[in-house]
Amino acid sequence: MPPTESSTFELERHSVRYVHTVPESGRLLPSASQWNSIALDFNLTPKSSTAYESIPSQYSKSFDYNLVITDRKHFFTFIFASVSIILAIIAALLLVHFLVLPHKHKHQETSALLSTAIKDALTFYDAQKSGKYPRNSPVTFRGDSGLQDGSPVKTNLSGGFYDSGNNIKFTFTTAYTMTLLSWSAIEYQSKYATMDQLDHVRDIIKWGSDYLLKVFILPNTTAATNLTLYSQVGSTISDNGEPNDLSCWKRPEDMDYARPVSTCDGSASDLGGEIVAALSAASIVFKEDADYSAKLVKAAESLYEAVTREDPEKQGTYTMVDACGKQARSIYNSFSYKDELAWGGTWLFLATENRTYLEYATETFKSAKKNETNSDKGIFDWNNKLDAIAVLLTGIRFFHDPGFIEDALRLSSNSTDSLMCSFLSDKHFSRTQGGLIILKPDNEPLLQHAATASFLSKLYSDYLDHLKMPSASCETDVFSVTALRHFARSQINYILGQNPMKMSYLVGYGDKFPVQVHHRSASIPWNNRSYSCDDGKGWLNSKEPNPQVLLGAMVGGPDLHDNFKDERSNQWFTEPNIASNAGLVAALIALQDPPNNNSHDIKNSLWRWT
């Protein structure tokens, strides 16, 4: 009778040998254990001609075996495990190749794109310069303008920046712009330097600071005269139909109409406080230029003293007095002044380390917070600095440790945490369908506030990251550093083109951007011809793209439904201004991550000076 299948396996079972591998030698060696080996018929592989006895080894000598499979279950388990391991290794390699490496490449690409956006956004300020125009400017369609500014008050007020698409210079927004640009240059100095834009931003800040030194005359104590502040050069109101900076569409180089100057006294507390903040912050930017820095600090301290010693009953906003701010009232109406006084005091403390300024700032901030309206919450712009002050004071609490006012600084920390929660939660602010946060929906362009919200959230995330804090909390929620950075990035991505219109709202950036920007210099040909006001109306109402690209200008942006009208005559959508651009620059530089510098460099930040 022929042997059965079971008896065959029974006979073979007694002659089986098990083996195990030794990776270091690359050989197969006998094993006494069934559990750490697998029985295979190695007749499938060629016999080695090498005599193993001749190879020194710490392991047992090897012998040739005729091996057969005795347990198919173990065999298939071995095959399955081996194939799985090989496939897992291949999958891991593919994952690295297609996900990790492209992510690294994408990060580098994003960093390069942000660098371009930052350079462009700074170039916008070159296009806004007034006065003796620098010959080395990257903007070629500008020249000397406003050289006689200040003549009505017999003061040299040449220089500074035109505010937007018109030819008016507002001291209030100029000072705010210089403060914010200086803040970004102090916190992220190394980033500006890495992309070779530190000298560029410093040039812009100095151009503005030099002008701000001209716009106030300190009281002469011997003659007991009042403080004089110049709030505006240029006119928004026509007298007897005469052309002015709003009614006439004319390049600043061709201005031939009157340029009145608006004059204020010490009651313009907000204006004085903002100038103090700007000069103080700029003094830190130019710390290495000892003489210029000292000049700025001295001017800031003198102005601060003049503004704060004013009778509290007379303190107020610059737009409440006709001679001072009537012309600005319809464009930059100021609703409070305590935030500017606290803002100026905080920056003056950081510039001088004089704790008296910090005491005044924290007390004023506390008073201002009590009067804050719901419509002001979440807003950081030329008119409201409370949220920015809270972040700045929180930084002082984190890195300066002035324990003598710990209770006051705790208020700022709580305010900052609440602010961050509000940015991240839909319970506080709604968003457009495309994801743009709506901080002030009442007939104001949305992008300016989204940009400053992006800056504050990214900056605060850097503070937390430096303290090794992955998260923080407000009264109702917990938020992470990652969430703050995601929010900050989302708002800037929207501005740069990731929106339903597929439109970059930064002029000259990307493949699609506004071409009918509401701007006199950009919309009138630069061809050595002077155009009249009537000629200008033709360019204003033209449907053709601007003959000059206003590189780096952030326009007003879309409406609440993500819609945008690229119409020069519709300035709500298409007009840029220096204050909004400052928020964009600050957010861009905060989000920029140069190679080998992925976190906030505290050593090169504001806090290295304190």
Side-chain angles (χ1 to χ4, degrees), residues 70-125:
T70 61
D71 191 321
R72 291 184 178 182
K73 182 178 180 181
H74 285 166
F75 173 71
F76 288 122
T77 301
F78 170 77
I79 294 297
F80 177 78
S82 300
V83 172
S84 298
I85 291 172
I86 293 171
L87 291 177
I89 294 173
I90 294 173
L93 292 173
L94 290 174
L95 188 67
V96 170
H97 182 73
F98 289 107
L99 294 180
V100 178
L101 293 180
H103 176 73
K104 181 179 180 181
H105 176 71
K106 183 177 180 181
H107 173 79
Q108 293 172 343
E109 185 179 79
T110 301
S111 181
L113 292 174
L114 284 181
S115 295
T116 299
I118 292 165
K119 181 179 179 180
D120 291 350
L122 289 174
T123 301
F124 169 69
Y125 291 99

Side-chain angles (χ1 to χ4, degrees), residues 252-475:
E253 291 80 5
D254 299 332
M255 292 183 300
D256 55 3
Y257 44 73
R259 300 264 292 169
V261 176
S262 298
T263 306
C264 317
D265 58 21
S267 65
S269 310
D270 52 353
L271 181 59
E274 190 60 69
I275 297 172
V276 169
L279 297 179
S280 301
S283 76
I284 303 174
V285 173
F286 296 103
K287 197 77 171 182
E288 295 172 0
D289 185 347
D291 291 341
Y292 188 63
S293 180
K295 180 180 180 180
L296 295 174
V297 169
K298 181 179 179 181
E301 288 190 293
S302 298
L303 180 57
Y304 176 84
E305 181 182 355
V307 171
T308 56
R309 75 182 180 195
E310 185 76 24
D311 184 350
E313 295 297 323
K314 295 181 180 180
Q315 288 181 332
T317 63
Y318 84 106
T319 51
M320 73 178 185
V321 178
D322 286 353
C324 176
K326 180 181 180 180
Q327 299 239 351
R329 200 173 293 155
S330 61
I331 302 175
Y332 291 115
N333 191 24
S334 178
F335 294 100
S336 62
Y337 65 90
K338 288 187 176 180
D339 56 327
E340 280 81 22
L341 292 178
W343 183 236
T346 303
W347 278 110
L348 196 51
F349 162 73
L350 290 167
T352 65
E353 298 189 52
N354 185 333
R355 294 191 172 190
T356 302
Y357 299 135
L358 185 58
E359 290 178 6
Y360 178 87
T362 53
E363 286 301 312
T364 307
F365 172 72
K366 182 178 179 181
S367 175
K369 283 294 290 183
K370 290 180 179 179
N371 298 322
E372 184 181 25
T373 64
N374 288 332
S375 62
D376 288 332
K377 292 181 178 179
I379 301 297
F380 172 35
D381 63 3
W382 53 268
N383 187 42
N384 186 4
K385 286 87 180 180
L386 286 178
D387 288 331
I389 297 168
V391 173
L392 199 56
L393 291 176
T394 302
I396 292 174
R397 185 189 186 201
F398 284 170
F399 306 117
H400 198 284
D401 192 27
F404 70 102
I405 54 168
E406 173 62 21
D407 289 342
L409 293 180
R410 188 177 295 110
L411 169 63
S412 66
S413 292
N414 292 339
S415 297
T416 299
D417 290 334
S418 295
L419 175 68
M420 299 303 145
C421 282
S422 71
F423 287 157
L424 299 177
S425 173
D426 292 336
K427 294 182 292 186
H428 299 275
F429 300 110
S430 59
R431 285 163 171 74
T432 68
Q433 196 70 26
L436 184 67
I437 193 168
I438 303 173
L439 293 170
K440 202 166 186 178
D442 298 333
N443 200 35
E444 285 198 31
L446 304 179
L447 298 187
Q448 58 180 329
H449 299 128
T452 52
S454 174
F455 168 63
L456 292 181
S457 57
K458 176 55 168 64
L459 177 63
Y460 190 56
S461 79
D462 289 336
Y463 287 175
L464 294 177
D465 187 55
H466 183 75
L467 295 172
K468 308 301 181 185
M469 295 173 58
S471 63
S473 63
C474 59
E475 291 183 354

